[in-house]
Amino acid sequence: MSKIELLAPAGNLEKLKTALTYGADAVYIGGESYGLRAMADNFNLDEMAEGVKFAHDMGKKVFVTVNIFPHNDDLKGLPEYIKSLEEIGVDAVIVSDLGIFSIVKETAPDMGIHISTQANNVNYKSAQMWYKLGAKRVVLARELSLDEIKEIREKTPLDLDLEAFIHGAMCISYSGRCLLSNYMTGRDANRGACAHPCRYKYYLVEEKRPGEYFPINEDEGGTYIMNSHDLCMIEHIPEIVDSGITSFKIEGRMKSSYYVATVVKAYREAIDSYLKDKENYKFNPKWLDDVSKASHRNFSTGFYFGKPQAQIYTNSSYIRSHDIVGMVKEYDKENGIATIEQRNRVFKGETLEVLTPKGENFNIVLNEMWNSEGQVIDVAPHPQMIYKIKTDRELKPLDMLVKEKGE
């Protein structure tokens, strides 16, 4: 079986560098067209080239989403785009449409092709067929159990990678194929512009009583009837490794750099711990605590252990216990001065946690702060302002300063 790959989302260049620095083996990104996250920052070709070089210098990979369901007009310019991706050195494209698949094979025959979860890969025969056509990887549908995945692994060539989501948002529609956004807002989810109407609060209206809204009670107080739990498999690393999945995929190209760093680091530590000593592996509750700090909805194990439990719940609110307040840009060892880019307001005297790619996180106190002009300050209030702090603990670029919400 292939080496286990930890695959992380990257909505922009900073998130790409963060994901790879914090332990991802590969990232998936979107260009300015043809992907299913039109609202993400996404990459132009120059940024993509910089990201690919950064990844390859670390011995890691970059995959690009080209997974819309294209209408005729969407195909204009696609061959040229695929050729540009090949020239940049992208490791593979992720596709869901057979027409796009054929364009890739014609335009860049040596390009790796991964079959998106949008293609509803739920059985071994479809995986076998994609392999025969030339796909190097199949991204399995979220609706599969571990037992079903094991059977797919047993009946497919070992050099066909199997990728599956192990953490992040779930979709109420089958493998992400949804018409609701298009119907309600004119924004086509299958072409990258989902408005997430599954997260709306719905009421029932009787036609002869206009203006009278009745809550739809799924249980005692539930009205968010299509809003799903987030997926979290951090407590089940042995099961997903032993199922035959070769690429563990984290959802979240729209999520923050803090989310990417926190989740990637936790899964990296859990995976490495299990692979190092399977016989004596023991789950560390800290890993679950860490992924719970970043913005998320209530966790579940999705379909992995059969029919999901509590797939629908009572609100659409995110849970977030911690906020990133600063990203380290550089550190002057001689003077013990760190340069920080502000991400949320922070005050002198506050105790902050430092999230660092390797090793245990640690705390520092902001005893001294200066703005970019060297003036002493008591607060860093402005988004993305550059400020400096005094700390004897060495900080590194992409370390993150984090504080608990409410402090």
Side-chain angles (χ1 to χ4, degrees), residues 171-173 198-199 216-219 222-230 298 300 308-315:
C171 182
I172 196 65
S173 297
C198 55
R199 313 298 187 192
I216 303 170
N217 292 311
E218 187 71 18
D219 51 31
T223 55
Y224 291 85
I225 60 171
M226 291 179 286
N227 197 27
S228 58
H229 282 71
D230 278 5
N298 291 333
S300 79
Q309 300 299 309
Q311 178 75 1
I312 311 303
Y313 61 103
T314 58
N315 66 74

Side-chain angles (χ1 to χ4, degrees), residues 133-342:
L133 290 173
K136 296 184 180 300
R137 176 178 299 188
V138 168
V139 187
L140 299 171
R142 288 175 172 89
E143 294 79 17
L144 290 172
S145 68
L146 286 173
D147 287 341
E148 291 175 304
I149 292 170
K150 288 177 182 177
E151 184 174 2
I152 292 173
R153 177 73 287 169
E154 290 168 359
K155 295 181 178 179
T156 52
L158 288 179
D159 60 338
L160 174 67
D161 287 342
L162 297 183
E163 177 180 307
F165 285 94
I166 51 90
H167 192 93
M170 298 283 282
C171 182
I172 196 65
S173 297
Y174 206 90
S175 289
R177 291 191 178 192
C178 181
L179 189 63
L180 191 60
S181 177
N182 205 336
Y183 178 78
M184 297 186 70
T185 70
R187 289 168 50 179
D188 192 341
N190 300 311
R191 298 167 82 183
C194 184
H196 301 288
C198 55
R199 313 298 187 192
Y200 299 172
K201 189 171 185 177
Y202 290 91
Y203 291 90
L204 182 67
V205 179
E206 199 275 322
E207 65 176 341
K208 294 182 181 179
R209 301 181 185 182
E212 294 187 33
Y213 300 97
F214 303 95
I216 303 170
N217 292 311
E218 187 71 18
D219 51 31
E220 297 79 34
T223 55
Y224 291 85
I225 60 171
M226 291 179 286
N227 197 27
S228 58
H229 282 71
D230 278 5
L231 176 66
C232 178
M233 292 294 287
I234 192 77
E235 296 180 86
H236 302 283
I237 296 300
E239 294 96 321
I240 52 178
V241 170
D242 296 344
S243 73
I245 297 169
T246 50
S247 178
F248 294 1
K249 188 171 192 173
I250 297 167
E251 183 276 339
R253 279 197 288 135
M254 303 285 284
K255 299 291 181 66
S256 69
S257 294
Y258 175 53
Y259 169 92
V260 171
T262 302
V263 175
V264 166
K265 182 180 180 181
Y267 276 93
R268 176 81 279 154
E269 290 178 355
I271 292 167
D272 288 350
S273 178
Y274 177 64
L275 294 180
K276 182 179 180 180
D277 188 356
K278 293 184 178 182
E279 295 298 322
N280 297 302
Y281 172 78
K282 184 177 180 181
F283 175 73
N284 187 341
K286 178 183 77 71
W287 298 327
L288 181 59
D289 291 341
D290 287 344
V291 299
S292 298
K293 291 178 180 178
S295 181
H296 67 282
R297 295 183 175 90
N298 291 333
F299 288 138
S300 79
T301 55
F303 292 80
Y304 278 115
F305 297 103
K307 184 178 179 181
Q309 300 299 309
Q311 178 75 1
I312 311 303
Y313 61 103
T314 58
N315 66 74
S316 65
S317 300
Y318 281 97
I319 303 166
R320 187 173 76 242
S321 64
H322 291 68
D323 281 327
I324 177 175
V325 296
M327 178 82 79
V328 177
K329 307 299 288 184
E330 59 184 45
Y331 182 75
D332 177 357
K333 290 184 182 180
E334 184 176 348
N335 297 301
I337 303 294
T339 301
I340 311 296
E341 183 178 272
Q342 193 260 31

Side-chain angles (χ1 to χ4, degrees), residues 20-36:
L20 297 176
T21 301
Y22 277 78
D25 299 301
V27 293
Y28 61 101
I29 68 176
E32 295 176 318
S33 302
Y34 309 113
L36 282 179

Side-chain angles (χ1 to χ4, degrees), residues 85-108:
L85 298 185
E86 182 182 43
E87 291 169 356
I88 286 170
V90 166
D91 295 282
V93 291
I94 305 168
V95 309
S96 55
D97 176 77
L98 190 57
I100 292 181
F101 185 98
S102 68
I103 289 173
V104 176
K105 295 298 288 184
E106 294 162 5
T107 307

Side-chain angles (χ1 to χ4, degrees), residues 45-85:
L45 291 177
D46 288 340
E47 292 169 333
M48 201 176 288
E50 182 179 345
V52 169
K53 183 180 186 306
F54 183 89
H56 288 178
D57 286 348
M58 298 180 72
K60 300 185 178 187
K61 297 180 179 180
V62 176
F63 311 137
V64 175
T65 58
V66 192
N67 58 342
I68 64 168
F69 290 104
H71 291 228
N72 293 330
D73 288 345
D74 294 319
L75 298 177
K76 296 175 182 177
L78 181 56
E80 293 79 9
Y81 178 66
I82 296 299
K83 198 66 181 175
S84 296
L85 298 185

